[in-house]
Amino acid sequence: MEIFNDILNFRFIDYLDVVLVALLLYYLYKLVKGTVAINIFIGIIIIYSAWRLTVFLNMELLSNIFGGFMKVGIIALIVVFQPEIRKFLLMVGSTNFSRRRKFLEQLKFLRSETTNVTDIDAIISACSKMSMSKTGALIVFERNNNLDFLAESGDEMNIKVTQPIIESIFFKNSPLHDGAILINDNIVKATRVILPVNNEKHIPQRFGLRHRAAIGVTEKTDALALVVSEETGLISYFKDGEFVVFEDTSELNTIIKQDLD
């Protein structure tokens, strides 16, 4: 009866508080999903729940131990979740309110299923042809993080994505083939873009600077990257600073479309 009365006494601000906390936890889960940090995140939830349970049961010794861990552990969490915190702050800091996407859309809470308009089929087809001719390519897909700060290092463009356009940009005699291209909403927004190169991870020797650049940009932002090796012709896909394994271009097509949704 007492619990029922407490529910009836809930104010609007209390409901709003619960919804915002739920949204925050959901976003944190989405941020670390698919990474090693997800296990740490789940562990923190379990320890916090155990702490609140011991407080509720008046188990003073255990509650003091868990409470001390939660207070001191914040420093360790900053170290452990440093990449995720950096991505979150970059996302907030790079939000461009003058653009079509609003802040809540940046957080992916209210994004519709039709947001992804990029012609992935044309891009994959272009990469397949460049793979056969061993034409090097580096394609970066902008998602929530605004990459204008990277676009400024190259040549600003406003070209609709098509298979011939992608192939012509990376044609070996083209003045635009060096560096990366940035794609957002089916528009090539910049070419000859200089990306941050990751020198820390050990990758196979057959991979070069394009692959390190793809690792660097996907590690520091939430962008996605496609690489066509000039040496081997192999197509590689990167997300969160890691190689994404796929069986064939059909599966790769599906994966990219899901990641852009």
Side-chain angles (χ1 to χ4, degrees):
M1 189 66 179
E2 184 178 348
I3 296 177
F4 181 72
N5 290 331
D6 290 339
I7 295 176
L8 291 179
N9 291 330
F10 252 45
R11 302 168 299 165
F12 170 76
I13 197 68
D14 295 324
Y15 287 107
L16 180 62
D17 187 26
V18 171
V19 171
L20 291 176
V21 170
L23 289 175
L24 178 61
L25 290 175
Y26 169 77
Y27 178 70
L28 289 175
Y29 172 75
K30 294 286 287 184
L31 192 66
V32 299
K33 182 181 178 182
T35 68
V36 178
I38 183 62
N39 296 324
I40 302 174
F41 178 74
I42 294 174
I44 293 171
I45 297 297
I46 293 174
I47 292 176
Y48 179 79
S49 301
W51 174 44
R52 299 310 302 172
L53 178 63
T54 56
V55 171
F56 177 76
L57 297 176
N58 293 322
M59 302 171 67
E60 294 187 3
L61 182 58
L62 276 177
S63 63
N64 287 334
I65 293 175
F66 284 126
F69 177 83
M70 295 300 297
K71 292 175 183 177
V72 178
I74 188 65
I75 299 175
L77 291 180
I78 293 175
V79 176
V80 171
F81 287 101
Q82 187 265 341
E84 285 74 21
I85 292 173
R86 179 176 58 194
K87 282 187 179 182
F88 177 78
L89 294 177
L90 177 62
M91 182 192 65
V92 174
S94 63
T95 301
N96 188 341
F97 291 96
S98 65
R99 300 178 62 191
R100 176 177 60 81
R101 295 173 181 169
K102 296 182 180 180
F103 182 67
L104 287 178
E105 291 177 318
Q106 293 277 31
L107 294 179
K108 286 189 174 180
F109 294 145
L110 301 178
R111 293 184 66 181
S112 65
E113 294 182 356
T114 59
T115 299
N116 175 26
V117 297
T118 304
D119 191 350
I120 303 301
D121 295 337
I123 296 172
I124 296 299
S125 296
C127 288
S128 296
K129 289 194 66 175
M130 291 187 291
S131 173
M132 290 186 289
S133 62
K134 293 187 178 180
T135 301
L138 176 51
I139 302 171
V140 176
F141 300 94
E142 181 176 325
R143 293 204 290 174
N144 295 316
N145 294 161
N146 188 317
L147 301 183
D148 287 349
F149 68 100
L150 290 177
E152 292 174 355
S153 67
D155 298 325
E156 184 178 351
M157 297 286 173
N158 187 23
I159 311 172
K160 182 179 178 181
V161 171
T162 64
Q163 181 177 340
I165 285 293
I166 299 297
E167 292 180 33
S168 63
I169 288 175
F170 290 110
F171 180 64
K172 294 180 180 179
N173 292 330
S174 167
L176 302 177
H177 80 280
D178 282 333
I181 65 171
L182 296 183
I183 293 178
N184 181 38
D185 288 344
N186 210 43
I187 296 295
V188 178
K189 62 186 294 186
T191 59
R192 297 205 305 171
V193 175
I194 300 173
L195 300 180
V197 177
N198 183 292
N199 291 315
E200 298 177 0
K201 289 195 175 182
H202 297 288
I203 65 174
Q205 293 183 350
R206 65 180 182 276
F207 297 128
L209 287 177
R210 285 190 181 90
H211 298 82
R212 290 195 176 276
I215 292 174
V217 70
T218 58
E219 199 173 46
K220 293 178 172 61
T221 72
D222 70 344
L224 309 172
L226 265 178
V227 177
V228 180
S229 173
E230 190 171 1
E231 288 74 26
T232 65
L234 291 176
I235 301 174
S236 302
Y237 177 52
F238 297 86
K239 178 183 178 182
D240 296 325
E242 301 289 344
F243 284 88
V244 177
V245 179
F246 56 92
E247 292 291 334
D248 49 35
T249 55
S250 177
E251 183 181 358
L252 174 62
N253 191 317
T254 301
I255 293 173
I256 297 178
K257 287 179 179 178
Q258 290 175 347
D259 289 339
L260 286 177
D261 281 341

